[in-house]
Amino acid sequence: MLLQGTGALRAAAEAGTAIPGFVAYNLETVQAVVASAETAGTPVLLQAGSSAFKHAGRDALMSLTLGAARRSTAALGVHLDHSRDLAEITACLEAGYTSVMIDGSHLPYEENVALTREAARRAHDAGAWIEAELGALAGDEDVSTGAAAAAGSMTDPAQAAEFTEATGVDALAVAVGNVHGFTATPVRLDLDRLAEIHKSVPVPLVLHGASGLPEEQLLGALERGVAKVNVNAELRRAYLRAVADALPTALPGSDTVATWAAGREAVTAAALDITRRLSRGAR
Ligand code: 13P
């Protein structure tokens, strides 16, 4: 069933737990995330951004994801990840997405405010909620580049408060040393900065780039207002490793079904583990 509204997100923020935002852009990964949510019994977000639409086709991926969420017994939000495009946002909202992310973090501050305010208006008119980003995240959403976070582009707590107020967003993605994809050395978040942002911003916070993040850093983030945690690379790695392991047996008979099924099983296990860790929080 579709998870509507910000209730689950707000409840997670209050409990010091988080909802996973799993990036899924092929059939088996979508099925795996749905299966993991049905086993976990806690809310989960299925999400993909513009780059995934380029890969899978927007209509195909929208209907795959929305259909899977609607048919499931689990509470699944369907979320547009990283979008810079108001037309794309509108298309997702019209299709029935429960939330969207406008990413104006590459723009000068005033332009980010204007773009985000317009996206928020469209989301709210459609009955959906909206996430925005302030500060710039290192790394790439689709591959692990081993990038390191740049101190200069971290989210400023005072500006975050002003931005949230000016735009009316329901959740704010922060840059506090987090990096998209796996990194060469373990990431250390600026937890003091995160605590300051949490104090000054009245909406739940979102942590992108959770793959490979040391457990104590993740729990530290949950204690400081992070209620949505985005995961992509960990699912990709689980999928690829399982497919690689299955290939020697599958290749002689060209057994693609068993190969993709192995990937799906591995992603289900990885997503379930992450969901359970996030829903336990720091307790
Ligand atoms: P990871 O690939 O590090 O999990 O980041 C995913 C993400 O933040 C998607 O928006």
Side-chain angles (χ1 to χ4, degrees):
M1 78 198 81
L2 282 181
L3 174 70
Q4 306 280 3
T6 54
L9 198 63
R10 294 191 159 274
E14 261 166 48
T17 64
I19 298 174
F22 288 126
V23 181
Y25 39 84
N26 70 354
L27 171 68
E28 289 79 9
T29 306
V30 169
Q31 291 174 326
V33 171
V34 169
S36 72
E38 287 171 355
T39 304
T42 50
V44 165
L45 300 172
L46 269 165
Q47 60 184 49
S50 308
S51 59
F53 286 152
K54 237 179 257 165
H55 160 73
R58 189 169 75 197
D59 288 347
L61 190 53
M62 285 195 314
S63 62
L64 167 67
T65 311
L66 281 163
R70 286 188 176 119
R71 281 191 302 274
S72 174
T73 52
L76 287 151
V78 179
H79 177 80
L80 172 64
D81 196 18
H82 291 285
S83 181
R84 297 178 172 188
D85 180 356
L86 287 172
E88 181 176 71
I89 284 180
T90 297
C92 288
L93 292 169
E94 282 175 355
Y97 272 45
T98 54
S99 54
V100 292
M101 176 192 187
I102 179 77
D103 183 357
S105 61
H106 58 291
L107 296 172
Y109 177 74
E110 291 304 337
E111 288 175 40
N112 188 0
V113 168
L115 178 70
T116 302
R117 192 189 285 141
E118 173 57 19
R121 187 190 64 75
R122 294 185 189 201
H124 293 152
D125 283 354
W129 59 270
I130 184 161
E131 168 188 342
E133 180 168 317
L134 193 62
L137 222 66
D140 187 287
E141 288 145 42
D142 300 316
V143 289
S144 291
T145 59
S153 51
M154 288 195 194
T155 309
D156 174 73
Q159 196 180 52
E162 189 191 301
F163 180 81
T164 310
E165 164 91 40
T167 58
V169 294
D170 305 290
L172 185 69
V174 292
V176 290
N178 40 326
V179 176
H180 278 128
F182 291 115
T183 51
T185 51
V187 165
R188 282 194 67 79
L189 300 177
D190 185 342
L191 291 175
D192 292 340
R193 179 182 295 267
L194 185 59
E196 283 302 310
I197 298 168
H198 180 38
K199 246 192 269 166
S200 51
V201 169
V203 299
L205 304 178
V206 181
L207 187 74
H208 285 237
S211 291
L213 192 63
E215 190 69 9
E216 84 284 354
Q217 297 285 302
L218 181 65
L219 295 181
L222 301 195
E223 284 172 345
R224 292 165 180 80
V226 166
K228 172 175 180 274
V229 172
N230 284 8
V231 181
N232 184 354
E234 279 192 29
L235 302 189
R236 296 199 307 262
R237 184 170 66 181
Y239 190 84
L240 289 178
R241 279 186 174 160
V243 165
D245 288 348
L247 278 179
T249 316
L251 264 176
S254 319
D255 188 350
T256 52
V257 169
T259 312
W260 308 148
R264 178 172 57 207
E265 212 175 292
V267 174
T268 305
L272 183 58
D273 176 58
I274 293 164
T275 302
R276 285 184 168 150
R277 276 161 42 212
L278 293 180
S279 64
R280 269 198 306 274
R283 285 170 286 164

